[in-house]
């Protein structure tokens, strides 16, 4: 994997982590793309590059959580 690909993956991870944390702390209306970007420490444009809109971002976060939980459940 190239350094650029690593950087993209790290940015995506930061965005997802920030979105998950905000959703735990605030209601959905307060979880704007700009607020998520600020919490992740990236530009709002970076969030849009990785996720077309808030719906896609939430879908990706939920899908990853479901996959992780399913794998953990199957391992037990």
């Amino acid at each position: 994997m190239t350094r650029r690909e690593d950087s993209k993956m790290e940015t995506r991870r930061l965005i997802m982590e920030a979105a998950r944390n905000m959703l735990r702390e605030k209601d959905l209306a307060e979880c704007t793309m700009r607020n998520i970007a600020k919490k992740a420490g990236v530009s709002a444009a970076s969030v849009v590059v990785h996720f077309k809109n808030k719906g896609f971002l939430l879908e990706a976060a939920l899908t990853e959580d479901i996959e992780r939980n399913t794998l953990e459940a199957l391992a037990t």
Side-chain angles (χ1 to χ4, degrees), residues 8-64:
K8 282 184 177 183
M9 286 180 55
E10 177 63 9
T11 299
R12 186 179 193 280
R13 186 193 67 75
L14 290 170
I15 294 167
M16 295 285 281
E17 183 179 324
R20 285 185 181 104
N21 289 337
M22 284 195 74
L23 285 168
R24 286 185 200 107
E25 299 166 2
K26 302 179 182 294
D27 71 23
L28 188 58
E30 293 178 283
C31 296
T32 65
M33 298 288 269
R34 287 178 196 232
N35 289 341
I36 292 167
K38 185 176 181 179
K39 187 165 185 91
V42 300
S43 70
S46 290
V47 177
V48 175
V49 165
H50 289 274
F51 304 98
K52 184 177 178 180
N53 59 43
K54 186 167 63 172
F56 283 108
L57 173 56
L58 297 176
E59 180 182 346
L62 289 172
T63 299
E64 282 187 12

Side-chain angles (χ1 to χ4, degrees), residues 1-10:
M1 191 170 295
T2 67
R3 190 168 48 175
R4 181 177 173 143
E5 289 169 333
D6 287 342
S7 178
K8 282 184 177 183
M9 286 180 55
E10 177 63 9

